[in-house]
Amino acid sequence: MWSEPVLLLNRAGWFLAAFGLAWWQYRRFSFSMVSASPKQRKRRQKKEEVVPQLFRAVPVRAFQGTLRTRWAQFATMVRI
């Protein structure tokens, strides 16, 4: 009989620990750089400028299929 209050206290303790951890992470996280110090912002801007462009934009090509091609694609999708 005494195990019910102990179990309840255990659940409450773990709930508070999880809630505290979630609250702490929420307070630390920021979606913007506004909260960063000026030194950190300058460091991030320098890193962004130094990174070379490794990928080029791929030209987009319009699909030029016939009606027969479109029906074949439709049939494939229906079969899947």
Side-chain angles (χ1 to χ4, degrees):
M1 273 276 230
W2 65 274
S3 64
E4 290 175 9
V6 172
L7 181 64
L8 193 60
L9 285 173
N10 187 329
R11 293 280 175 137
W14 281 110
F15 175 77
L16 289 174
F19 183 77
L21 182 64
W23 179 78
W24 179 64
Q25 288 293 327
Y26 175 76
R27 298 295 294 165
R28 285 189 64 219
F29 186 77
S30 175
F31 283 104
S32 64
M33 288 180 46
V34 175
S35 63
S37 69
K39 205 179 242 186
Q40 289 174 340
R41 274 186 254 151
K42 285 181 183 178
R43 193 177 307 143
R44 287 180 186 164
Q45 287 174 353
K46 286 180 183 178
K47 285 181 182 177
E48 290 174 2
E49 293 172 2
V50 173
V51 175
Q53 184 179 0
L54 300 175
F55 301 101
R56 296 183 185 165
V58 178
V60 179
R61 185 167 180 243
F63 179 72
Q64 298 175 355
T66 62
L67 185 61
R68 182 177 179 187
T69 307
R70 292 178 191 225
W71 274 109
Q73 291 175 347
F74 176 72
T76 304
M77 291 300 291
V78 168
R79 188 175 55 201
I80 289 175

